[in-house]
Amino acid sequence: MTPARRPPARTGRAAERVAADYYAARGFRLLATNARFGPLEADLVVKKGDLVALVEVRARRPGALVGAFASLGAVKRRRLRRAAAALWARLRGPLPRARVRIDVAAVDLWSRPVSLRVVEGAFPARDDSGARG
């Protein structure tokens, strides 16, 4: 099935595999895919040393009105921050020195070869602006 005909869930899983391979090639260990933190979800959770990254994977079809990075609106960023806080709270016991970072991976499954752009620490894991989420 060509990427253009893939259902959205299959497209998302394919994009997550590309991103997971990227992190594995850089020495990260995949801890979870589609990790749930109550009502919140992180596409990937990866770990290298004391760094744990929540990875939001974005894939957009050619001609989409909004690009992968631009599609991360304020609501989604707040949800990712809350997921990062929940993850950090879970890690404090077993990994007291853990650092949590939010990365964004934009995958273009329609280009040949498939392209991937990762922004490490795409935005702060904590919102100090006073905004409520």
Side-chain angles (χ1 to χ4, degrees):
M1 184 176 294
T2 64
R5 297 188 185 278
R6 265 190 200 130
R10 281 191 61 196
T11 297
R13 285 191 302 273
E16 288 168 3
R17 280 192 302 275
V18 170
D21 290 347
Y22 167 89
Y23 282 95
R26 281 151 185 79
F28 283 82
R29 187 168 52 107
L30 180 64
L31 298 180
T33 58
N34 301 308
R36 302 294 307 184
F37 303 96
L40 309 169
E41 180 186 45
D43 294 325
L44 302 176
V45 179
V46 296
K47 179 184 182 301
K48 182 177 182 180
D50 67 348
L51 173 64
V52 179
L54 266 75
V55 183
E56 175 66 15
V57 180
R58 308 302 272 189
R60 288 288 176 268
R61 295 183 182 280
L65 294 177
V66 178
F69 291 110
S71 70
L72 274 172
V75 170
K76 182 64 175 183
R77 288 192 307 270
R78 281 192 299 271
R79 287 181 181 156
L80 286 168
R81 284 187 184 105
R82 288 198 319 255
L87 174 62
W88 189 81
R90 284 186 193 176
L91 294 174
R92 275 190 301 207
L95 298 169
R97 293 174 28 143
R99 295 176 294 127
V100 176
R101 177 178 83 193
I102 299 172
D103 294 357
V104 177
V107 181
D108 182 349
L109 296 168
W110 296 270
S111 66
R112 293 293 173 252
V114 169
S115 71
L116 169 71
R117 183 170 166 225
V118 174
V119 177
E120 297 175 351
F123 53 91
R126 209 178 109 129
D127 182 7
D128 292 324
S129 70
R132 296 252 172 207

